[in-house]
Amino acid sequence: MKHLLYSFLFIVFASNAFAQGGQITSIYVVPPNPTEADEVTVYADLTFAYSGCPLDYAAFALQNSTFAATAHHCVGLLAAICNTTDTFELGLLPAGGYTFDLTLTSGS
């Protein structure tokens, strides 16, 4: 009986760990059409299926004309929708076209 209980708890926590992925619902730039004189900020609206979704860390780096960004959120075990917005302040940018590539991860 003890082994059955441990197996059940492992399955519950393992399935919860795999199901915690967040979803990027939108990404937008402010100002919408920046010039070289504008401070550029990127906002990412996110949704998680579990309670609480505080930002653990976020970072970005410019590689050629692509911003490689990452954000990691810690989520709770209670099944409840959590919406949040991450902010990435890119600053002043030279004229040109840029790509913003966000990788979102989450965990307990």
Side-chain angles (χ1 to χ4, degrees), residues 16 18-19 28-29 34 53 56-57 80 83 104:
N16 191 29
F18 289 118
Y28 53 97
V29 178
C53 51
D56 185 29
Y57 67 84
N83 297 311
L104 176 63

Side-chain angles (χ1 to χ4, degrees), residues 9-53:
L9 290 175
F10 175 76
I11 291 169
V12 168
F13 287 115
S15 65
N16 191 29
F18 289 118
Q20 290 181 359
Q23 184 175 21
I24 302 170
T25 54
S26 69
I27 294 180
Y28 53 97
V29 178
V30 174
N33 296 306
T35 66
E36 290 181 347
D38 294 327
E39 296 273 338
V40 177
T41 304
V42 174
Y43 296 95
D45 291 331
L46 313 170
T47 299
F48 296 89
Y50 289 89
S51 63
C53 51

Side-chain angles (χ1 to χ4, degrees), residues 57-108:
Y57 67 84
F60 65 88
L62 180 60
Q63 301 168 350
N64 298 321
S65 63
T66 299
F67 283 95
T70 184
H72 181 81
H73 288 258
C74 295
V75 294
L77 298 175
L78 181 64
I81 301 297
C82 180
N83 297 311
T84 190
T85 301
D86 286 353
T87 304
F88 298 89
E89 296 178 2
L90 307 183
L92 298 172
L93 299 173
Y98 295 91
T99 301
F100 190 84
D101 184 14
L102 176 61
T103 301
L104 176 63
T105 59
S106 63
S108 299

